[in-house]
Amino acid sequence: QLQLQASGPGLVNPSETLSLTCSVAGDSISNSNYDSNYYWGWIRQPPGKGLEWIGSFYYGGSTWYNPSLKSRVTISVDTSKNQFSLKLSSVTATDTAVYYCARQPSTTVVKFHFDFWGQGALVTVSS
Amino acid sequence: QSVLTQPPSASGTPGQRVTISCSGSSSNIGTNNVNWYQQLPRTAPKLLIYSNNQRPSGVPDRFSGSKSGTSASLAISGLQSEDEADYYCAAWDDSLYGVFGGGTKLTVL
């Protein structure tokens, strides 16, 4: 059974960089046969509010970011640990949210559905 | 303000049929597939419907999805108390980003 787990600091100071890691068990995010890979993504949810897509990547292919966050976001991959990471720079209180990592079971980002989600990691931006 | 528009709330009694709408535009719902998620309190969203009307394994057939033009709907028949949750629609926008609806809180009376 596929499992994803997001982890990282629960408290980040304003203006600093939020860093989260998603550990994946039960599937590989970096198959050598690129046609066997899927997209993987980050989604966030501010307290009491709706879902916001942050970005998705395909190992050996493209990475897509939400235009509203693109200047501050980087998604990277550590294939040796089967993990992918999120970095969001220059954070403010509006970046306080539960951050989810999830699998997008498609080789095309247009098929925008996520079938397995991590449990979510609450990150609070405050001094 | 979400790119996809959903009613903030919906309600029904047990056994009733309820529909939740999702309105978009030609650049998202009009062109691409619509997906629906159910989010129970304090849990991660769960994929309910993908590719407009497909149910993942394990999702009861009480849940169904449809799309027409730039709008989509989620229907829940035989409403049960455990269906009380937040529901979100989602689609890819041809402006090159993924979009979610603002969410609909379903109350089972």
Side-chain angles (χ1 to χ4, degrees), chain A residues 16-77:
Chain A
E16 296 190 345
T17 296
L18 177 160
S19 295
L20 292 171
T21 296
C22 183
S23 300
V24 179
D27 193 6
S28 173
I29 61 176
S30 59
N31 292 302
S32 56
N33 177 3
Y34 291 161
D35 290 340
S36 299
N37 288 324
Y38 291 140
Y39 272 89
W40 302 83
W42 289 97
I43 302 99
R44 71 180 183 178
Q45 184 172 35
K49 296 188 178 181
L51 301 168
E52 180 181 33
W53 174 71
I54 299 171
S56 297
F57 79 94
Y58 180 92
Y59 182 73
S62 304
T63 301
W64 303 85
Y65 297 121
N66 189 321
S68 68
L69 300 170
K70 187 174 183 177
S71 63
R72 300 193 291 129
V73 173
T74 302
I75 295 175
S76 59
V77 181

Side-chain angles (χ1 to χ4, degrees), chain A residues 43 45 49-53 64-67 100 104-105 109-115 117-120, chain B residues 32-33 35 37 39 43-47 49-51 88 90-92 95-102:
Chain A
I43 302 99
Q45 184 172 35
K49 296 188 178 181
L51 301 168
E52 180 181 33
W53 174 71
W64 303 85
Y65 297 121
N66 189 321
Y100 295 102
Q104 204 171 335
V109 74
V110 175
K111 291 188 176 181
F112 186 66
H113 64 274
F114 298 89
D115 62 349
W117 295 62
Q119 85 288 2
Chain B
N32 299 307
N33 290 331
N35 311 289
Y37 298 88
Q39 187 176 32
T43 67
K46 170 190 172 184
L47 181 63
I49 298 288
Y50 68 98
S51 297
Y88 294 90
W92 184 257
S95 299
L96 304 182
Y97 65 108
V99 292
F100 286 91

Side-chain angles (χ1 to χ4, degrees), chain B residues 68-101:
Chain B
S68 178
T70 59
S71 294
S73 292
L74 171 71
I76 308 172
S77 60
L79 195 63
Q80 299 179 4
S81 58
E82 55 260 41
D83 298 333
E84 188 161 289
D86 294 326
Y87 292 84
Y88 294 90
C89 59
W92 184 257
D93 191 290
D94 285 347
S95 299
L96 304 182
Y97 65 108
V99 292
F100 286 91

Side-chain angles (χ1 to χ4, degrees), chain B:
Chain B
Q1 195 81 355
S2 301
V3 173
L4 303 181
T5 301
Q6 297 180 236
S9 63
S11 63
T13 56
Q16 199 172 20
R17 183 176 187 269
V18 172
T19 61
I20 297 172
S21 63
C22 176
S23 177
S25 67
S26 58
S27 64
N28 42 66
I29 293 179
T31 308
N32 299 307
N33 290 331
V34 178
N35 311 289
W36 290 90
Y37 298 88
Q38 177 192 60
Q39 187 176 32
L40 298 172
R42 295 173 297 282
T43 67
K46 170 190 172 184
L47 181 63
L48 208 58
I49 298 288
Y50 68 98
S51 297
N52 304 322
N53 55 19
Q54 301 299 301
R55 281 188 308 277
S57 174
V59 173
D61 59 6
R62 303 187 295 106
F63 295 91
S64 62
S66 63
K67 186 182 96 167
S68 178
T70 59
S71 294
S73 292
L74 171 71
I76 308 172
S77 60
L79 195 63
Q80 299 179 4
S81 58
E82 55 260 41
D83 298 333
E84 188 161 289
D86 294 326
Y87 292 84
Y88 294 90
C89 59
W92 184 257
D93 191 290
D94 285 347
S95 299
L96 304 182
Y97 65 108
V99 292
F100 286 91
T104 298
K105 183 176 183 62
L106 175 63
T107 301
V108 180
L109 301 171

